[in-house]
């Protein structure tokens, strides 16, 4: 099996430049995330800062009390025959009150950060869902559903973990370092210099290892998205997998991409997880150095520039505790490095989705009483500029006509349908709707004047009647039932366990494909539009059911401009125009009788000389 390869780090100037660029991007993402959090939670963050400051001061107070406890109470009390413990007890009581305030503030800021993180995630998911709903269709053509789902789940959750824990940890660390540093200088400048030296070594180590692991975390998130996408694809296509006995091939492919995820996660965490042990040992080394230097000062055996330093035993004990408070934040930050790096990469993916260009709609015209007159003039189209799929399409219709498209697979039938409702924009020519270029019509107004039954039926979780009502949200129950009766769906719906109130789930998995399609057709019928588009709407219905549905469809199509893509040519014999497509070009056009007389492509399709329609 091919093993994934990973960049092992920078190699010379190019690697350094890459790290500098990554670091710059990382800072930009963190700054943007910070602004996003502060947008709604300025007061909460300010309160958190105040609480953290109070907590740090109370912690520092207890640390400095160690010096007072030893030098002013314990040592003097050991030197008297009958010690008086009352002053010590009073001081301990005051210290207890101070520590209680610190505990209360710590509890408060942790609760606030939970509220901030959950509230931010709520807004973030709302924003990316709103953006997703406004994206053009071609965005979904280019991005797998599993990858987009990974943004909502893994990436957003990594941000939640960072906001709820890492942000408060950083605030706490910065404030603790500042307060502790000031106290250390007051106690002993030489010992402070030793602490600064060890802290600098820890900072350099953390920064260097963090840079090396960041790229691996990016690869880990991308691999995780691929795994999610593959699982989602296998779940939706499970019947196909089993029909063709591809279970083992699916297992082998999953094993390959799962191994890529394992390898990238291993590389990311291998580096990140050694940060804390390394910093922990460096912190212990600094502790020992300060103890040795402090003891030397206390014994009066060390002088600098003929200046004899004198340090009490209480000062040494207090300074050792302060040194832990000074280096501990660096260790805490290193503990969070996995979360921070993972969240940074996750934030990039979230912001990439939020920054995706929404569907452009420059149309201003609102259709009033649309007639359904649709005309194509010299239309060219390609999904990419390099590959054109439609050439010189000319179609003239009158309101109420039935226009049928036939042709081989890939001829361009569905593409033309997608252009009518502006799922895609044409490269050349124009499409007129009631004499108005569709680019000048509001997309919402244009699409509300049409009802579409797609080749791939999709039902939402909910009752049968709610799925029919999806075509017109303000439709009454009577209108929905009438639409179902019109297309021949009423009979089977009433035979369901709860009739129209039967709850569908899993895309209507408890219904047959034909029944699902009938509900989709009823959904189109209830909207009562002037234009009806049927993209092989009866392709999944058996011949007997199709006969029943066709009667309802004929009633539904009366007085409406209807565009039909049909796999059975017998269903379009009464079409006003039949347009034959081949490789994106119209090669024949006319009524059923006219095309048979031409004895061309349509004649071959209809008489069975060609199997694809």
């Amino acid at each position: 099996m091919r093993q994934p390869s990973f960049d092992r780090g920078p190699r010379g100037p190019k690697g350094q430049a890459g790290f500098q660029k990554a670091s710059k991007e990382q800072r930009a993402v963190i700054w943007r995330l910070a602004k996003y959090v502060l947008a709604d939670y300025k007061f909460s963050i300010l309160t958190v800062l105040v609480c953290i400051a109070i907590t740090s001061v109370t912690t520092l107070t207890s640390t400095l009390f160690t010096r007072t406890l030893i030098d002013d109470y314990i040592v003097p009390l050991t030197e008297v025959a009958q010690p008086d413990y009352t002053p010590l007890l009073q001081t301990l009581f005051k210290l207890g009150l101070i520590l209680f305030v610190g505990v209360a503030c710590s509890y408060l800021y942790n609760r606030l950060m939970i509220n901030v993180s959950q509230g931010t995630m709520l807004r973030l998911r709302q924003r990316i869902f709103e953006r997703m709903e406004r994206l053009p269709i071609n965005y979904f053509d280019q991005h797998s559903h599993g990858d987009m789902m990974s943004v909502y789940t893994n990436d957003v959750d990594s941000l939640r973990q960072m906001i709820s824990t890492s942000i408060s940890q950083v605030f706490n660390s910065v404030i603790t370092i500042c307060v502790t540093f000031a106290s250390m200088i007051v106690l002993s400048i030489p010992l402070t210099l030793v602490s600064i030296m060890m802290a600098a070594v820890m900072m350099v180590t953390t920064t260097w290892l963090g840079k090396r692991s960041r790229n691996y975390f990016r690869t880990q998130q991308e691999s995780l998205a691929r795994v999610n996408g593959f699982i989602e694809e296998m779940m939706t296509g499970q019947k196909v997998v089993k029909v063709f006995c591809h279970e083992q091939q699916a297992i082998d492919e999953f094993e390959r991409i799962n191994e890529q995820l394992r390898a990238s996660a291993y590389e990311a965490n291998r580096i990140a997880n050694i940060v804390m042990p390394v910093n922990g040992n460096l912190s212990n080394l600094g502790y020992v150095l300060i103890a040795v230097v402090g003891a030397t000062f206390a014994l009066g055996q060390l002088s600098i520039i003929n200046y004899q330093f004198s340090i009490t035993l209480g000062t040494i004990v207090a300074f050792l505790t302060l040194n832990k408070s000074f280096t501990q934040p660096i260790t805490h930050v290193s503990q969070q490095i996995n979360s921070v790096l993972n969240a940074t990469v996750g934030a990039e993916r979230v912001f990439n989705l939020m920054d995706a260009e929404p569907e452009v709609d420059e149309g201003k015209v609102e259709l009033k009483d649309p007639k359904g007159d649709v005309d194509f003039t010299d239309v060219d189209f390609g999904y990419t500029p390099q590959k054109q799929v439609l050439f010189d399409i000319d179609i003239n219709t009158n309101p109420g006509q039935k226009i049928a498209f036939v042709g081989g697979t890939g001829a361009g039938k569905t593409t033309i349908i997608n252009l009518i409702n502006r799922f895609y924009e044409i490269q050349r020519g124009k499409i007129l709707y009631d004499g108005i270029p569709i680019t000048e019509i509001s997309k919402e107004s244009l699409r509300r004047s049409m009802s579409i039954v797609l080749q791939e039926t999709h039902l939402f979780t909910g009752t049968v009647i709610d799925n029919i009502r999806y075509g017109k949200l303000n439709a009454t129950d009577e209108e929905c039932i009438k639409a179902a009766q019109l297309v021949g769906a009423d009979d089977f719906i009433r035979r369901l366990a709860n009739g129209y109130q039967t709850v569908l789930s899993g895309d209507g998995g408890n219904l047959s494909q034909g029944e699902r399609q009938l509900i989709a057709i009823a959904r189109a019928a209830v909207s009562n539009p002037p234009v009806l588009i049927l993209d092989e709407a009866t392709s999944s219905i058996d011949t007997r059911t199709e006969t029943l549905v066709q009667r309802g469809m004929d009633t539904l199509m009366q007085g409406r401009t209807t565009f039909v893509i049909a796999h059975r040519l017998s269903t379009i014999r009464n079409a006003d125009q039949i347009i034959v497509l081949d490789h994106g070009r119209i090669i024949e056009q006319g009524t059923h009788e006219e095309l048979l007389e031409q004895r061309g492509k349509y004649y071959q399709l209809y008489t069975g000389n060609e199997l694809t329609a």
Side-chain angles (χ1 to χ4, degrees), residues 86-106:
T86 302
L88 175 61
L89 293 175
Q90 292 175 344
T91 303
L92 289 174
F93 178 75
K94 294 177 182 177
L95 179 63
L97 292 177
I98 294 173
L99 291 177
F100 176 79
V101 172
V103 170
C105 288
S106 177

Side-chain angles (χ1 to χ4, degrees), residues 373-402:
D373 184 2
V374 181
D375 296 314
F376 284 66
T377 304
D378 298 327
V379 170
D380 290 346
F381 172 76
Y383 290 101
T384 63
Q386 296 76 23
K387 187 176 181 181
Q388 187 174 339
V389 295
L390 291 180
F391 304 85
D392 302 318
I393 301 299
D394 286 289
I395 302 172
N396 295 311
T397 69
N398 293 318
Q401 282 191 331
K402 179 180 178 181

